[in-house]
Amino acid sequence: MFDKKILITGATGQLGTEVSQLLPNAIKTASKDLDITNQEQVNDFINDNKIDKIINCAAYTATDKAEEDEEQAYKVNALGPKNLANTGCKIIHISTDYVFNGFRYRPYSPTSTPDPLSVYGKTKLQGENFVLQYATNPIIIRTSWLYSAHGNNFLKTMLKLGTERKNLNVVSDQIGTPTYAKDLAQALVTILPHINEKTNGVYHYSNEGVCSWYDFATAIMQLYNLDCKVNPIFSSEYTTKAKRPLYTVLDKTKIKQTFGLEIPHWIDALKRCLNEIQK
């Protein structure tokens, strides 16, 4: 197996869990096992375990909390990736659609100019820049609206609220694409053997298709047969500490052409995830 010398950081998160299931022989760490914000600890761990490839799924993802906890968000989202990149390992680093401001209203390509609106987006962009600067063979994959059967995410929240309430308000003016973590994990495993100087750079991955959070929530209720009416509202009616970009559909042409990926539509992905939850 080619996964003997692979490190998966953030292995207990929703994406890390999915990647870990596909790479059972990889070395898996959560923050309690390895502090990626400590360069010396990272170097020792990499050397002791003879790691040569890293999939960095570790991130500070509490978007609103990051507005008040910028120091910790910076440590995990920027300094951590820098430390991992500094080891000389080949690295796949996961980033986010929140590096964009969302004013564009046509799909963002990997070469589109980032302009994050939030601390979360800014620290993730700093992490990207560090990885590109310091890693020998960097691959950065920006994704959007990640969900799975594991952990906390929008889908799980909707299922909970959909069983408790008859009505629910969800924003309809934030447009993007949900991404099933299992599909992204499969893409990462496909890409892993092909990391070299020709594939270095930034890529985008989400499921295919476009929707609003309102559309996503409505589909969840319908497919799970929940008797809960979803009402569309504007972002201005639902205040959050962190500014969200209004449009972050990702152009996936580069990742499909470079690695020969076929990407499922978000509705098909959602059906598969709900089936997994029901089981």
Short mmCIF file of all heavy atoms in Angstrom, two decimals, residues 94-145:
data_model
loop_
_atom_site.label_atom_id
_atom_site.label_comp_id
_atom_site.label_asym_id
_atom_site.label_seq_id
_atom_site.Cartn_x
_atom_site.Cartn_y
_atom_site.Cartn_z
N ILE A 94 -5.89 21.59 2.56
CA ILE A 94 -7.29 21.91 2.27
C ILE A 94 -7.58 23.36 2.65
O ILE A 94 -7.32 23.79 3.77
CB ILE A 94 -8.25 20.98 3.04
CG1 ILE A 94 -7.88 19.50 2.79
CG2 ILE A 94 -9.70 21.24 2.62
CD1 ILE A 94 -7.87 19.07 1.35
N SER A 95 -8.13 24.10 1.70
CA SER A 95 -8.51 25.48 1.96
C SER A 95 -10.00 25.68 1.64
O SER A 95 -10.75 24.71 1.55
CB SER A 95 -7.62 26.45 1.17
OG SER A 95 -7.83 27.78 1.63
N THR A 96 -10.42 26.92 1.46
CA THR A 96 -11.84 27.23 1.50
C THR A 96 -12.26 28.27 0.46
O THR A 96 -11.46 29.11 0.03
CB THR A 96 -12.20 27.78 2.90
OG1 THR A 96 -13.55 28.24 2.92
CG2 THR A 96 -11.31 28.95 3.30
N ASP A 97 -13.54 28.24 0.10
CA ASP A 97 -14.13 29.26 -0.77
C ASP A 97 -14.19 30.63 -0.09
O ASP A 97 -14.36 31.64 -0.74
CB ASP A 97 -15.52 28.83 -1.22
CG ASP A 97 -16.49 28.60 -0.06
OD1 ASP A 97 -16.02 28.20 1.03
OD2 ASP A 97 -17.70 28.78 -0.23
N TYR A 98 -14.02 30.66 1.25
CA TYR A 98 -14.10 31.92 1.98
C TYR A 98 -12.89 32.82 1.76
O TYR A 98 -12.81 33.91 2.33
CB TYR A 98 -14.27 31.66 3.48
CG TYR A 98 -15.71 31.42 3.90
CD1 TYR A 98 -16.56 30.61 3.13
CD2 TYR A 98 -16.23 31.98 5.06
CE1 TYR A 98 -17.87 30.38 3.52
CE2 TYR A 98 -17.54 31.75 5.45
CZ TYR A 98 -18.36 30.94 4.67
OH TYR A 98 -19.65 30.73 5.04
N VAL A 99 -11.93 32.38 0.92
CA VAL A 99 -10.83 33.28 0.54
C VAL A 99 -11.32 34.31 -0.49
O VAL A 99 -10.60 35.27 -0.79
CB VAL A 99 -9.59 32.53 -0.03
CG1 VAL A 99 -9.03 31.56 1.00
CG2 VAL A 99 -9.92 31.82 -1.33
N PHE A 100 -12.55 34.13 -1.00
CA PHE A 100 -13.11 35.07 -1.98
C PHE A 100 -14.16 35.98 -1.33
O PHE A 100 -14.79 35.61 -0.34
CB PHE A 100 -13.73 34.31 -3.15
CG PHE A 100 -12.75 33.48 -3.92
CD1 PHE A 100 -12.86 32.10 -3.94
CD2 PHE A 100 -11.71 34.07 -4.62
CE1 PHE A 100 -11.94 31.32 -4.64
CE2 PHE A 100 -10.79 33.31 -5.33
CZ PHE A 100 -10.91 31.94 -5.34
N ASN A 101 -14.36 37.16 -1.94
CA ASN A 101 -15.33 38.10 -1.36
C ASN A 101 -16.77 37.84 -1.82
O ASN A 101 -17.72 38.37 -1.24
CB ASN A 101 -14.93 39.56 -1.64
CG ASN A 101 -14.87 39.90 -3.12
OD1 ASN A 101 -15.53 39.29 -3.95
ND2 ASN A 101 -14.05 40.89 -3.46
N GLY A 102 -16.94 37.05 -2.89
CA GLY A 102 -18.29 36.69 -3.33
C GLY A 102 -19.01 37.75 -4.14
O GLY A 102 -20.20 37.65 -4.39
N PHE A 103 -18.27 38.77 -4.62
CA PHE A 103 -18.92 39.84 -5.39
C PHE A 103 -18.95 39.56 -6.89
O PHE A 103 -19.46 40.36 -7.66
CB PHE A 103 -18.17 41.18 -5.17
CG PHE A 103 -18.09 41.63 -3.75
CD1 PHE A 103 -17.07 42.47 -3.33
CD2 PHE A 103 -19.04 41.24 -2.82
CE1 PHE A 103 -16.98 42.90 -2.00
CE2 PHE A 103 -18.96 41.65 -1.49
CZ PHE A 103 -17.93 42.48 -1.08
N ARG A 104 -18.40 38.44 -7.32
CA ARG A 104 -18.09 38.23 -8.73
C ARG A 104 -19.29 37.69 -9.54
O ARG A 104 -19.50 38.04 -10.68
CB ARG A 104 -16.90 37.27 -8.80
CG ARG A 104 -16.45 36.85 -10.16
CD ARG A 104 -15.32 35.83 -9.98
NE ARG A 104 -15.21 34.94 -11.12
CZ ARG A 104 -14.21 34.97 -12.00
NH1 ARG A 104 -13.27 35.86 -11.88
NH2 ARG A 104 -14.17 34.11 -13.00
N TYR A 105 -20.05 36.79 -8.96
CA TYR A 105 -21.24 36.18 -9.60
C TYR A 105 -20.96 35.43 -10.89
O TYR A 105 -21.79 35.35 -11.78
CB TYR A 105 -22.37 37.22 -9.77
CG TYR A 105 -22.95 37.59 -8.43
CD1 TYR A 105 -22.56 38.75 -7.78
CD2 TYR A 105 -23.84 36.73 -7.77
CE1 TYR A 105 -23.05 39.06 -6.51
CE2 TYR A 105 -24.33 37.03 -6.51
CZ TYR A 105 -23.93 38.21 -5.89
OH TYR A 105 -24.41 38.50 -4.65
N ARG A 106 -19.78 34.89 -11.00
CA ARG A 106 -19.51 33.81 -11.95
C ARG A 106 -18.45 32.93 -11.30
O ARG A 106 -17.72 33.41 -10.43
CB ARG A 106 -19.10 34.34 -13.33
CG ARG A 106 -17.84 35.14 -13.39
CD ARG A 106 -17.62 35.66 -14.83
NE ARG A 106 -16.33 36.30 -14.97
CZ ARG A 106 -16.08 37.55 -14.62
NH1 ARG A 106 -17.04 38.30 -14.10
NH2 ARG A 106 -14.87 38.07 -14.78
N PRO A 107 -18.38 31.66 -11.67
CA PRO A 107 -17.52 30.74 -10.91
C PRO A 107 -16.07 31.22 -10.78
O PRO A 107 -15.48 31.75 -11.72
CB PRO A 107 -17.60 29.44 -11.72
CG PRO A 107 -18.96 29.50 -12.34
CD PRO A 107 -19.17 30.95 -12.70
N TYR A 108 -15.54 31.03 -9.58
CA TYR A 108 -14.15 31.41 -9.28
C TYR A 108 -13.21 30.31 -9.73
O TYR A 108 -13.40 29.14 -9.39
CB TYR A 108 -13.98 31.62 -7.77
CG TYR A 108 -14.56 32.92 -7.25
CD1 TYR A 108 -15.85 32.97 -6.75
CD2 TYR A 108 -13.80 34.08 -7.26
CE1 TYR A 108 -16.39 34.16 -6.26
CE2 TYR A 108 -14.32 35.28 -6.78
CZ TYR A 108 -15.61 35.31 -6.28
OH TYR A 108 -16.13 36.49 -5.81
N SER A 109 -12.18 30.68 -10.48
CA SER A 109 -11.16 29.72 -10.89
C SER A 109 -10.01 29.79 -9.88
O SER A 109 -9.93 30.73 -9.09
CB SER A 109 -10.65 30.04 -12.30
OG SER A 109 -9.75 31.14 -12.24
N PRO A 110 -9.11 28.81 -9.90
CA PRO A 110 -7.97 28.84 -8.97
C PRO A 110 -7.09 30.08 -9.13
O PRO A 110 -6.34 30.44 -8.22
CB PRO A 110 -7.20 27.56 -9.31
CG PRO A 110 -8.24 26.65 -9.87
CD PRO A 110 -9.17 27.53 -10.63
N THR A 111 -7.16 30.76 -10.29
CA THR A 111 -6.34 31.96 -10.50
C THR A 111 -7.10 33.25 -10.17
O THR A 111 -6.52 34.34 -10.28
CB THR A 111 -5.84 32.02 -11.96
OG1 THR A 111 -6.99 31.96 -12.84
CG2 THR A 111 -4.90 30.87 -12.29
N SER A 112 -8.38 33.15 -9.79
CA SER A 112 -9.13 34.34 -9.40
C SER A 112 -8.47 34.98 -8.17
O SER A 112 -7.93 34.28 -7.32
CB SER A 112 -10.58 33.98 -9.06
OG SER A 112 -11.24 33.42 -10.18
N THR A 113 -8.55 36.30 -8.08
CA THR A 113 -7.89 37.03 -6.99
C THR A 113 -8.65 36.87 -5.68
O THR A 113 -9.82 37.24 -5.59
CB THR A 113 -7.78 38.53 -7.33
OG1 THR A 113 -7.15 38.67 -8.59
CG2 THR A 113 -6.99 39.27 -6.27
N PRO A 114 -8.00 36.34 -4.64
CA PRO A 114 -8.66 36.21 -3.34
C PRO A 114 -8.85 37.58 -2.68
O PRO A 114 -8.07 38.51 -2.92
CB PRO A 114 -7.69 35.36 -2.51
CG PRO A 114 -6.76 34.73 -3.51
CD PRO A 114 -6.66 35.71 -4.63
N ASP A 115 -9.90 37.70 -1.88
CA ASP A 115 -10.17 38.91 -1.11
C ASP A 115 -11.11 38.54 0.04
O ASP A 115 -12.30 38.82 -0.01
CB ASP A 115 -10.80 39.99 -2.02
CG ASP A 115 -11.13 41.26 -1.25
OD1 ASP A 115 -10.46 41.53 -0.22
OD2 ASP A 115 -12.07 41.98 -1.66
N PRO A 116 -10.58 37.87 1.07
CA PRO A 116 -11.44 37.35 2.13
C PRO A 116 -12.10 38.45 2.96
O PRO A 116 -11.50 39.51 3.18
CB PRO A 116 -10.49 36.51 2.98
CG PRO A 116 -9.12 36.99 2.65
CD PRO A 116 -9.16 37.53 1.27
N LEU A 117 -13.33 38.18 3.41
CA LEU A 117 -14.10 39.15 4.19
C LEU A 117 -14.00 38.91 5.69
O LEU A 117 -14.36 39.76 6.48
CB LEU A 117 -15.58 39.08 3.79
CG LEU A 117 -15.93 39.31 2.32
CD1 LEU A 117 -17.42 39.06 2.10
CD2 LEU A 117 -15.55 40.72 1.88
N SER A 118 -13.54 37.72 6.09
CA SER A 118 -13.57 37.31 7.51
C SER A 118 -12.18 36.92 7.99
O SER A 118 -11.28 36.64 7.20
CB SER A 118 -14.52 36.12 7.68
OG SER A 118 -14.04 35.00 6.95
N VAL A 119 -12.03 36.87 9.29
CA VAL A 119 -10.78 36.39 9.90
C VAL A 119 -10.50 34.95 9.45
O VAL A 119 -9.37 34.60 9.10
CB VAL A 119 -10.84 36.47 11.44
CG1 VAL A 119 -9.69 35.70 12.09
CG2 VAL A 119 -10.81 37.93 11.89
N TYR A 120 -11.54 34.13 9.45
CA TYR A 120 -11.40 32.74 8.99
C TYR A 120 -10.82 32.71 7.57
O TYR A 120 -9.82 32.04 7.30
CB TYR A 120 -12.75 32.03 9.03
CG TYR A 120 -12.76 30.70 8.32
CD1 TYR A 120 -12.00 29.62 8.79
CD2 TYR A 120 -13.53 30.50 7.17
CE1 TYR A 120 -12.00 28.40 8.13
CE2 TYR A 120 -13.55 29.28 6.52
CZ TYR A 120 -12.78 28.24 6.99
OH TYR A 120 -12.78 27.04 6.33
N GLY A 121 -11.44 33.46 6.65
CA GLY A 121 -10.97 33.50 5.26
C GLY A 121 -9.55 34.05 5.14
O GLY A 121 -8.74 33.53 4.38
N LYS A 122 -9.25 35.09 5.93
CA LYS A 122 -7.92 35.70 5.87
C LYS A 122 -6.84 34.74 6.36
O LYS A 122 -5.77 34.63 5.76
CB LYS A 122 -7.90 36.99 6.71
CG LYS A 122 -8.61 38.15 6.04
CD LYS A 122 -8.79 39.34 6.99
CE LYS A 122 -9.65 40.41 6.32
NZ LYS A 122 -10.09 41.45 7.26
N THR A 123 -7.12 34.05 7.47
CA THR A 123 -6.11 33.11 8.01
C THR A 123 -5.94 31.90 7.10
O THR A 123 -4.82 31.38 6.96
CB THR A 123 -6.46 32.67 9.45
OG1 THR A 123 -7.77 32.08 9.47
CG2 THR A 123 -6.42 33.84 10.42
N LYS A 124 -7.02 31.46 6.46
CA LYS A 124 -6.90 30.34 5.51
C LYS A 124 -6.07 30.76 4.29
O LYS A 124 -5.27 29.98 3.78
CB LYS A 124 -8.29 29.86 5.08
CG LYS A 124 -9.06 29.12 6.15
CD LYS A 124 -8.40 27.82 6.59
CE LYS A 124 -8.53 26.73 5.55
NZ LYS A 124 -7.89 25.46 6.02
N LEU A 125 -6.24 32.00 3.84
CA LEU A 125 -5.45 32.50 2.71
C LEU A 125 -3.97 32.60 3.10
O LEU A 125 -3.09 32.25 2.31
CB LEU A 125 -5.98 33.85 2.25
CG LEU A 125 -5.23 34.49 1.07
CD1 LEU A 125 -5.27 33.59 -0.17
CD2 LEU A 125 -5.81 35.87 0.74
N GLN A 126 -3.70 33.06 4.32
CA GLN A 126 -2.31 33.11 4.79
C GLN A 126 -1.69 31.72 4.80
O GLN A 126 -0.53 31.53 4.42
CB GLN A 126 -2.26 33.73 6.20
CG GLN A 126 -2.51 35.23 6.22
CD GLN A 126 -2.72 35.76 7.63
OE1 GLN A 126 -3.50 35.21 8.41
NE2 GLN A 126 -2.04 36.83 7.98
N GLY A 127 -2.48 30.72 5.21
CA GLY A 127 -2.02 29.33 5.20
C GLY A 127 -1.68 28.86 3.80
O GLY A 127 -0.64 28.23 3.57
N GLU A 128 -2.55 29.19 2.84
CA GLU A 128 -2.28 28.85 1.43
C GLU A 128 -0.94 29.42 0.98
O GLU A 128 -0.12 28.74 0.37
CB GLU A 128 -3.36 29.44 0.52
CG GLU A 128 -4.71 28.78 0.56
CD GLU A 128 -5.62 29.36 -0.51
OE1 GLU A 128 -5.14 30.10 -1.40
OE2 GLU A 128 -6.83 29.06 -0.47
N ASN A 129 -0.76 30.71 1.27
CA ASN A 129 0.46 31.40 0.81
C ASN A 129 1.72 30.79 1.42
O ASN A 129 2.74 30.64 0.75
CB ASN A 129 0.37 32.89 1.13
CG ASN A 129 -0.69 33.60 0.29
OD1 ASN A 129 -1.03 33.14 -0.80
ND2 ASN A 129 -1.23 34.69 0.80
N PHE A 130 1.64 30.42 2.70
CA PHE A 130 2.77 29.77 3.35
C PHE A 130 3.09 28.42 2.70
O PHE A 130 4.25 28.08 2.46
CB PHE A 130 2.49 29.57 4.84
CG PHE A 130 2.69 30.80 5.69
CD1 PHE A 130 1.81 31.07 6.73
CD2 PHE A 130 3.74 31.67 5.46
CE1 PHE A 130 1.98 32.20 7.53
CE2 PHE A 130 3.92 32.81 6.25
CZ PHE A 130 3.03 33.07 7.29
N VAL A 131 2.05 27.64 2.41
CA VAL A 131 2.25 26.31 1.80
C VAL A 131 2.89 26.46 0.42
O VAL A 131 3.84 25.76 0.07
CB VAL A 131 0.92 25.53 1.73
CG1 VAL A 131 1.08 24.26 0.89
CG2 VAL A 131 0.44 25.16 3.13
N LEU A 132 2.39 27.41 -0.37
CA LEU A 132 2.96 27.64 -1.70
C LEU A 132 4.41 28.12 -1.61
O LEU A 132 5.24 27.77 -2.44
CB LEU A 132 2.13 28.67 -2.46
CG LEU A 132 0.74 28.21 -2.93
CD1 LEU A 132 -0.05 29.38 -3.50
CD2 LEU A 132 0.83 27.08 -3.95
N GLN A 133 4.71 28.89 -0.57
CA GLN A 133 6.05 29.45 -0.41
C GLN A 133 7.06 28.42 0.09
O GLN A 133 8.21 28.38 -0.36
CB GLN A 133 5.99 30.64 0.56
CG GLN A 133 7.31 31.38 0.73
CD GLN A 133 7.17 32.56 1.69
OE1 GLN A 133 6.08 32.97 2.05
NE2 GLN A 133 8.30 33.09 2.13
N TYR A 134 6.64 27.57 1.04
CA TYR A 134 7.62 26.73 1.75
C TYR A 134 7.62 25.26 1.35
O TYR A 134 8.62 24.58 1.56
CB TYR A 134 7.38 26.83 3.26
CG TYR A 134 7.73 28.19 3.83
CD1 TYR A 134 6.74 29.12 4.13
CD2 TYR A 134 9.07 28.56 4.03
CE1 TYR A 134 7.06 30.37 4.63
CE2 TYR A 134 9.39 29.81 4.54
CZ TYR A 134 8.38 30.72 4.83
OH TYR A 134 8.69 31.97 5.32
N ALA A 135 6.51 24.75 0.82
CA ALA A 135 6.46 23.31 0.51
C ALA A 135 7.22 22.98 -0.77
O ALA A 135 7.26 23.78 -1.71
CB ALA A 135 5.01 22.85 0.41
N THR A 136 7.81 21.79 -0.80
CA THR A 136 8.53 21.34 -2.00
C THR A 136 7.54 21.05 -3.13
O THR A 136 7.73 21.49 -4.26
CB THR A 136 9.33 20.06 -1.68
OG1 THR A 136 10.07 20.28 -0.48
CG2 THR A 136 10.30 19.74 -2.80
N ASN A 137 6.50 20.27 -2.80
CA ASN A 137 5.46 19.95 -3.79
C ASN A 137 4.09 20.26 -3.18
O ASN A 137 3.42 19.37 -2.64
CB ASN A 137 5.53 18.48 -4.21
CG ASN A 137 6.74 18.18 -5.07
OD1 ASN A 137 7.55 17.32 -4.73
ND2 ASN A 137 6.88 18.88 -6.18
N PRO A 138 3.64 21.52 -3.28
CA PRO A 138 2.38 21.89 -2.67
C PRO A 138 1.17 21.70 -3.59
O PRO A 138 1.21 22.07 -4.76
CB PRO A 138 2.57 23.39 -2.39
CG PRO A 138 3.48 23.86 -3.48
CD PRO A 138 4.35 22.69 -3.86
N ILE A 139 0.13 21.09 -3.04
CA ILE A 139 -1.18 21.09 -3.70
C ILE A 139 -2.16 21.69 -2.71
O ILE A 139 -2.30 21.22 -1.59
CB ILE A 139 -1.62 19.68 -4.14
CG1 ILE A 139 -0.80 19.23 -5.35
CG2 ILE A 139 -3.11 19.64 -4.45
CD1 ILE A 139 -1.22 17.90 -5.92
N ILE A 140 -2.84 22.75 -3.13
CA ILE A 140 -3.87 23.37 -2.30
C ILE A 140 -5.21 23.11 -2.95
O ILE A 140 -5.38 23.36 -4.16
CB ILE A 140 -3.62 24.88 -2.16
CG1 ILE A 140 -2.42 25.09 -1.22
CG2 ILE A 140 -4.84 25.61 -1.61
CD1 ILE A 140 -1.76 26.41 -1.34
N ILE A 141 -6.16 22.60 -2.17
CA ILE A 141 -7.49 22.35 -2.71
C ILE A 141 -8.51 23.16 -1.91
O ILE A 141 -8.72 22.91 -0.73
CB ILE A 141 -7.84 20.85 -2.68
CG1 ILE A 141 -6.84 20.09 -3.57
CG2 ILE A 141 -9.27 20.63 -3.16
CD1 ILE A 141 -7.05 18.61 -3.63
N ARG A 142 -9.08 24.15 -2.58
CA ARG A 142 -10.16 24.91 -1.96
C ARG A 142 -11.48 24.17 -2.16
O ARG A 142 -11.76 23.69 -3.26
CB ARG A 142 -10.26 26.30 -2.60
CG ARG A 142 -9.04 27.16 -2.39
CD ARG A 142 -9.24 28.51 -3.08
NE ARG A 142 -8.04 29.35 -2.97
CZ ARG A 142 -7.55 30.05 -3.98
NH1 ARG A 142 -8.13 30.02 -5.17
NH2 ARG A 142 -6.48 30.80 -3.80
N THR A 143 -12.26 24.10 -1.10
CA THR A 143 -13.56 23.45 -1.19
C THR A 143 -14.62 24.34 -0.56
O THR A 143 -14.31 25.42 -0.05
CB THR A 143 -13.52 22.05 -0.54
OG1 THR A 143 -14.72 21.35 -0.86
CG2 THR A 143 -13.35 22.13 0.98
N SER A 144 -15.88 23.90 -0.61
CA SER A 144 -16.97 24.75 -0.12
C SER A 144 -18.06 23.91 0.54
O SER A 144 -18.31 22.78 0.15
CB SER A 144 -17.58 25.55 -1.28
OG SER A 144 -18.15 24.68 -2.25
N TRP A 145 -18.69 24.49 1.56
CA TRP A 145 -19.91 23.96 2.17
C TRP A 145 -19.79 22.46 2.51
O TRP A 145 -20.65 21.65 2.17
CB TRP A 145 -21.11 24.19 1.25
CG TRP A 145 -21.41 25.61 0.89
CD1 TRP A 145 -20.58 26.68 0.99
CD2 TRP A 145 -22.65 26.11 0.36
NE1 TRP A 145 -21.22 27.83 0.55
CE2 TRP A 145 -22.49 27.51 0.15
CE3 TRP A 145 -23.86 25.51 0.01
CZ2 TRP A 145 -23.49 28.32 -0.36
CZ3 TRP A 145 -24.87 26.32 -0.50
CH2 TRP A 145 -24.68 27.70 -0.67
#
